[in-house]
Amino acid sequence: MPWSERNTHHWHDWSLADLVAAKQGQRVSLVVPARNEAATVGNLVSKLRTTLMETSDLVDELVVIDSDSSDETARIASEAGAAVFASAAIRPDLGTYPGKGEAMWKSQFVTTGELIVFMDADLTDWDTHFVRGLLGPLVNNPTIELVKGFYHRPGEHGLDGGRVTELVARPLLALHRPPLRDLIQPLAGEWSIRRSLFERLSVPTGYGVELAALVDTLDTRGMDAIAQVDLGRRDHSHQGLFDLGLMATQIVGMMSRRLGTGPAGDEVGLRQYVPIDGSTKTVERTVSLLERAPLPTASASDMVG
């Protein structure tokens, strides 16, 4: 039986009660990295806490890692019932860097679960069954160590958004890690992982974190350690094209590093052009390619570069 049949599931394959029973004492940490998501984070936290903590025992702790927000993200998340930590304040002796991956890496110091579920904070069309689906393979199959969600996007063809996935991530996997071609949403922000694996991964501080986790799990554990789950419909706030350019640069940089062809430094200059009133404005952006070392060896100087 091919991998796509063995290890592809649907969220309704497991009931909430069955998953609670199957945990067998394992703790579940639900982590939401967030930056300037005041508009959506409160509803997200409130629904997750009510359904998965207060009326069931599936999730043991719900943590929001605030990554230098300039809005009311932290306050709103806290009032909704999350334990909120500023990324920069977690282990300040290890330094701090901007980025989604940094917030996720730092979450290991303030969570206790053997199983970690990550969810994006900007979701606008979703439900709490996302967590149920992401935990199903982990609690029912000890050989599974990482679970990726996939979903149906809004729009007539279900492909609205996903530009970096289709134009960057999927071509990179086709060229350099063909077994991962079976992953429907390799960049999905909804995924789960065993702590015993996550703490041994090198974690890009930026947007390369999701693809790096897949590539490194394939390389160290093999394809049978990975599963994917259909989460149904999902939508979120979309980034502008220029910000997606930054994301794409970090993803390509992450893969280049694993191919031994990455740049010598920890950052690259990205030049973008903006047409304004008949002329062209040049925008120079510095893109970080920093990666955090695996947790057991992490120290203030343990950056992968």
Side-chain angles (χ1 to χ4, degrees):
M1 182 186 298
W3 177 91
S4 59
E5 294 182 24
R6 292 194 313 275
N7 286 8
T8 299
H9 307 277
H10 194 282
W11 67 267
H12 59 44
D13 290 345
W14 308 277
S15 72
L16 190 57
D18 288 344
L19 287 177
V20 172
K23 280 174 58 179
Q24 296 183 337
Q26 295 181 98
R27 286 181 60 81
V28 172
S29 301
L30 177 52
V31 176
V32 181
R35 184 176 187 274
N36 294 333
E37 302 295 353
T40 53
V41 72
N43 177 63
L44 184 92
V45 168
S46 179
K47 286 178 65 175
L48 290 168
R49 183 172 182 83
T50 298
T51 304
L52 304 178
M53 297 182 71
E54 295 175 356
T55 60
S56 78
D57 296 319
L58 185 61
V59 171
D60 298 285
E61 56 187 357
L62 172 52
V63 174
V64 170
I65 307 295
D66 182 41
S67 184
D68 304 315
S69 292
S70 58
D71 64 6
E72 295 296 303
T73 292
R75 178 186 63 79
I76 292 171
S78 179
E79 291 177 355
V84 180
F85 298 88
S87 179
I90 300 172
R91 290 296 304 271
D93 57 305
L94 299 181
T96 185
Y97 303 90
K100 179 182 183 181
E102 171 79 353
M104 296 165 80
W105 185 79
K106 285 284 190 77
S107 74
Q108 296 176 95
F109 296 101
V110 294
T111 56
T112 59
E114 293 93 342
L115 308 178
I116 304 172
V117 179
F118 293 111
M119 288 187 66
D120 283 345
D122 63 348
L123 299 181
T124 57
D125 190 355
W126 67 285
D127 213 330
T128 57
H129 68 257
F130 282 19
V131 178
R132 192 166 112 200
L134 293 169
L135 285 172
L138 289 182
V139 301
N140 286 283
N141 186 343
T143 67
I144 298 298
E145 300 192 63
L146 185 152
V147 181
K148 292 293 293 188
F150 68 93
Y151 39 79
H152 309 281
R153 298 180 184 275
E156 181 180 352
H157 46 63
L159 290 173
D160 286 1
R163 289 164 286 179
V164 177
T165 294
E166 300 303 328
L167 298 177
V168 181
R170 212 177 297 287
L172 283 174
L173 296 180
L175 290 168
H176 303 297
R177 295 296 189 279
L180 293 174
R181 291 178 299 180
D182 287 328
L183 271 294
I184 297 172
Q185 293 288 347
L187 299 185
E190 285 64 57
W191 55 291
S192 62
I193 191 169
R194 296 188 189 277
R195 178 182 294 270
S196 58
L197 171 60
F198 192 50
E199 67 185 10
R200 286 169 171 76
L201 298 182
S202 174
V203 179
T205 58
Y207 289 113
V209 54
E210 276 94 7
L211 202 64
L214 276 175
V215 169
D216 293 348
T217 299
L218 172 70
D219 291 350
T220 60
R221 300 296 207 270
M223 196 66 185
D224 282 336
I226 301 170
Q228 63 180 349
V229 178
D230 186 342
L231 300 179
R233 184 180 170 91
R234 175 200 191 267
D235 196 12
H236 67 120
S237 57
H238 297 286
Q239 297 192 57
L241 185 61
F242 277 12
D243 287 335
L244 294 181
L246 182 149
M247 180 188 297
T249 303
Q250 290 184 326
I251 289 170
V252 173
M254 176 280 300
M255 183 63 82
S256 297
R257 183 159 282 164
R258 281 151 180 79
L259 296 172
T261 60
D266 293 327
E267 58 187 34
V268 295
L270 175 64
R271 180 170 297 175
Q272 297 173 307
Y273 299 92
V274 186
I276 299 178
D277 298 329
S279 62
T280 300
K281 177 183 177 182
T282 302
V283 178
E284 298 280 355
R285 303 180 72 175
T286 300
V287 182
S288 173
L289 301 180
L290 284 169
E291 298 195 17
R292 286 291 196 174
L295 195 61
T297 61
S299 71
S301 61
D302 273 332
M303 303 301 295
V304 178

